[in-house]
Amino acid sequence: MSHQSDLIATDIEAYLAQHERKDLLRFLTCGSVDDGKSTLIGRLLYDSKLIYEDQLEAMKKDSVRHGTTDTEFDPALLTDGLKAEREQGITIDVAYRYFSTAKRKFIIADTPGHEQYTRNMATGASTCDLAIILIDARAGVLTQTRRHSFIVSLLGIKHIIVAVNKMDLVDYSQEVFERIVKDYTGFAARLELSDVHFLPMAALNGDNVVRKSEHMPWYTGSPLMHLLEHVYIASDANLIDFRFPVQYVNRPNPDFRGFCGTVASGVVRPGDEVMVFPSRKTSRVKAIHTFEGELEQAMPPLAVTLTLEDEIDVSRGDMFVHPNNIPLIATRFEAMLVWMAEDPLQPDKQYFIKQTTNTTPGVITDVRYRIDVNTLHREDAAQLTLNEIGRCAFALEKPIACDPYRKNRASGAFVVIDRLTNNTIGAGMIIDRNQSFGSVGSFGSVESVESVGSGLNGPNDSMDPTNSTMREQALQQHALTVWLTGLSGSGKSSIAERLEQRLHTEGFHAYRLDGDNLRLGLNRDLAFSAADRAENIRRIAEVARLFNQAGLIVLVSVIAPFYADRHHAAEIIGADRFFEVYVDTPLAVCEARDVKGLYHKARAGEIPDFTGISSPYEPPPAPALRLATVGHTVEESTQAVFQAIMARIRL
């Protein structure tokens, strides 16, 4: 097998220890029906020599009876194990496969492509780090491709491989591949997909699966296995916000009381001060216990038992956090919901809401809107039916400790359970901008929620008797922050100025925040170090958020060279109000303009840490709009931005 090592023969314990230290990548295959998901997995394992001989012989025999190809064996049969799947040649339920290579361990979720089984796909994707979205080269981007891409974005999966499959059936055409890439990129620009790779392949024949294809010399990238082995996921885990939901209280004898659970996020060490929610009692961690012994620290996804220095009341469903980093405690919130039941959602019907280890009765008070997965437009809806996705408002009987899903997948996710059948009928993701936050029952005042809510990096409109929705309705527009980023001299300010004029001419209410002007007043105490740049962007984002709460459209033109700072700005403003425009002008063009003479001074060493010269600029990996300004006038660029935001700002 491909992960065999000489250590197996010489030192099996050393080999097992080495194998244990490999990191684990969970990924799924998704896309429309018959795009080749199961075939890809079978071929991936076969070419990697990760199928045992008896499995291969069984597959060859089954291929005679159930195979859908003319080859010696049908790779899809490795994961399609149900009788109905083999008879119909489709995937119905999620199938999991485990394998490892010399570099990494993997768990694959093979998910179904039929619209009828979208809920199964969402279930399989909920724990994944990476998604392989397959597209049939003959059919191109289909409705189910869009639906699965939207769900992948909604679930916060950061790494995407778009595999254009069955290239052999289109004569390995580069033109076909590039057309599909263009179509998908146009759709995905409106989604939050930050790390996307495109890969042409023919899974049945093994082209670009494990080894590079000789039939597509025009493709200069890596094959699938290389991408899977080298995608960087270490930074994906949330090691900042400590969240430890208590699953079980272990009391084997009078001298021991331990609190068992899985570290959902963050890091905990003996001696750390912790607070338990909802009681808000504090203590310190005495020890971290596991079956192998005590640990010096614990992080996701370790299952551990914590003991405390003080005797405080802690029960299943409670949550340990660090006192200086606490979640929101709320009985009301809004979330994006994937409905997974045959019976439609009924507002005001009693359901169980299960979040981490906590289960509480609650109701869905309102369906704000439903998402059309083809256009990503919002539609008015009174309810959600099977496989539909929408934004809903929830009200619970008792408070939960939660975070926005984008910030913390563990504490921001929940499921809706039918109280009669005990079936899971919905999967929800708490959003980071919520005007219903503020009802905390007997666990705190509105002021305390404001201080806790600041951790959400989003507005708390419940603090204002006239909330932002009412202001937006009065102004007949949706509040939005159009964030124009690019090098100095790229044309950001000129476009923002013309755009402001155009919006006012069309009857919209807009205000422009220019980075240079803000440094003359609000941010005049800041220099250009990395820390000062980050603070500059944070302040601008906070001001933009306040203007958005007033119902206004905000136009921000600022270099903002670092991805992390712009991402933080998006969290502060709220993902549904943040519209990033990358003004893509080459450095040579910007330097040739050099209206202020800044590049000349930077080249002479008079301006240290100047973006593009002595300090890097990190282009947005997936902006809402990319403006290539070379060859286009300011008016043409302004028109492109105006058209792009029209669907977002009209009520």
Side-chain angles (χ1 to χ4, degrees), residues 17 19 23 29 87 103 141 169 181 189 209 242 283 294 332 414 434 447 463 635:
H19 182 68
D23 63 348
T29 57
E87 290 175 346
K103 294 182 174 63
V141 179
L169 302 182
V181 169
V209 177
F242 174 58
S283 182
E294 296 187 13
R332 292 179 177 271
F414 63 92
N434 195 327
E447 287 75 16
M463 298 295 294
E635 286 73 17

Side-chain angles (χ1 to χ4, degrees), residues 508-545:
F508 294 101
H509 302 267
Y511 191 84
R512 181 165 55 94
L513 297 174
D514 187 82
D516 291 341
N517 293 336
L518 288 169
R519 280 194 174 272
L520 297 176
L522 176 67
N523 297 335
R524 63 183 177 184
D525 59 318
L526 300 176
F528 291 90
S529 67
D532 283 346
R533 287 182 187 274
E535 176 60 15
N536 177 54
I537 298 305
R538 188 195 68 80
R539 292 183 189 178
I540 294 173
E542 293 287 358
V543 173
R545 177 175 68 86

Side-chain angles (χ1 to χ4, degrees), residues 189-234:
R190 292 169 287 172
L191 302 176
E192 294 189 26
L193 303 177
S194 57
D195 181 23
V196 182
H197 297 269
F198 293 94
L199 173 67
M201 66 164 53
L204 184 62
N205 303 326
D207 290 285
N208 281 337
V209 177
V210 173
R211 290 173 291 276
K212 292 199 65 172
S213 171
E214 297 178 355
H215 299 102
M216 291 176 278
W218 45 265
Y219 173 70
T220 58
S222 302
L224 177 63
M225 179 60 84
H226 183 273
L227 293 175
L228 294 176
E229 287 187 326
H230 292 86
V231 62
Y232 185 69
I233 61 172

Side-chain angles (χ1 to χ4, degrees), residues 388-427:
E388 288 188 335
I389 302 167
R391 175 169 171 169
C392 302
F394 288 78
L396 311 183
E397 290 190 7
K398 65 178 184 179
I400 61 172
C402 60
D403 295 290
Y405 184 83
R406 288 291 179 188
K407 180 182 180 183
N408 195 318
R409 292 175 69 176
S411 56
F414 63 92
V415 295
V416 181
I417 300 172
D418 188 285
R419 298 183 66 167
L420 295 179
T421 64
N422 209 36
N423 291 332
T424 299
I425 55 177

Side-chain angles (χ1 to χ4, degrees), residues 86-349:
R86 296 190 169 199
E87 290 175 346
Q88 300 179 55
I90 64 172
T91 301
I92 296 176
D93 201 1
V94 182
Y96 294 94
R97 286 293 180 271
Y98 168 86
F99 72 99
S100 69
T101 67
K103 294 182 174 63
R104 178 171 271 169
K105 295 179 288 187
F106 302 90
I107 296 178
I108 315 173
D110 182 23
T111 63
H114 280 71
E115 180 179 352
Q116 178 182 351
Y117 304 116
T118 299
R119 54 188 172 183
N120 303 49
M121 176 267 168
T123 301
S126 61
T127 59
C128 288
D129 309 299
L130 178 146
I132 302 175
I133 301 175
L134 275 88
I135 298 176
D136 189 327
R138 300 168 300 174
V141 179
L142 302 176
T143 298
Q144 195 68 339
T145 312
R146 295 186 176 94
R147 178 178 284 106
H148 284 186
S149 298
F150 179 69
I151 293 175
V152 164
S153 171
L154 195 64
L155 291 172
I157 298 177
K158 298 180 179 180
H159 309 286
I160 314 296
I161 297 175
V162 180
V164 181
N165 193 24
K166 304 186 181 180
M167 289 295 295
D168 54 320
L169 302 182
V170 294
D171 296 326
Y172 302 101
S173 170
Q174 181 179 2
E175 181 182 351
V176 171
F177 174 72
E178 291 178 348
R179 184 176 68 249
I180 293 174
V181 169
K182 182 179 179 181
D183 291 345
Y184 186 88
T185 302
F187 168 78
R190 292 169 287 172
L191 302 176
E192 294 189 26
L193 303 177
S194 57
D195 181 23
V196 182
H197 297 269
F198 293 94
L199 173 67
M201 66 164 53
L204 184 62
N205 303 326
D207 290 285
N208 281 337
V209 177
V210 173
R211 290 173 291 276
K212 292 199 65 172
S213 171
E214 297 178 355
H215 299 102
M216 291 176 278
W218 45 265
Y219 173 70
T220 58
S222 302
L224 177 63
M225 179 60 84
H226 183 273
L227 293 175
L228 294 176
E229 287 187 326
H230 292 86
V231 62
Y232 185 69
I233 61 172
S235 61
D236 294 351
N238 183 341
L239 300 179
I240 299 174
D241 309 303
F242 174 58
R243 305 289 185 260
F244 183 79
V246 177
Q247 185 174 3
Y248 175 70
V249 180
N250 188 10
R251 181 74 167 166
N253 58 64
D255 300 323
F256 186 92
R257 178 183 284 109
F259 306 103
C260 308
T262 299
V263 181
S265 61
V267 181
V268 63
R269 300 176 178 85
D272 283 359
E273 185 179 10
V274 292
M275 177 183 289
V276 59
F277 279 104
S279 69
R280 294 181 182 267
K281 299 293 185 182
T282 61
S283 182
R284 291 191 178 275
V285 177
K286 183 178 180 180
I288 304 173
H289 298 270
T290 67
F291 179 78
E292 288 81 11
E294 296 187 13
L295 300 178
E296 292 300 317
Q297 66 176 19
M299 60 184 64
L302 283 178
V304 299
T305 298
L306 302 183
T307 56
L308 304 179
E309 294 181 354
D310 305 291
E311 295 290 338
I312 59 176
D313 182 20
V314 181
S315 304
R316 173 181 168 84
D318 291 349
M319 181 181 290
F320 287 120
V321 303
H322 287 146
N324 60 349
N325 184 341
I326 58 180
L328 180 68
I329 308 300
T331 56
R332 292 179 177 271
F333 59 86
E334 293 189 16
M336 297 302 297
L337 185 67
V338 181
W339 194 248
M340 305 165 68
E342 299 285 350
D343 296 330
L345 178 155
Q346 298 182 33
D348 297 325
K349 178 182 177 180

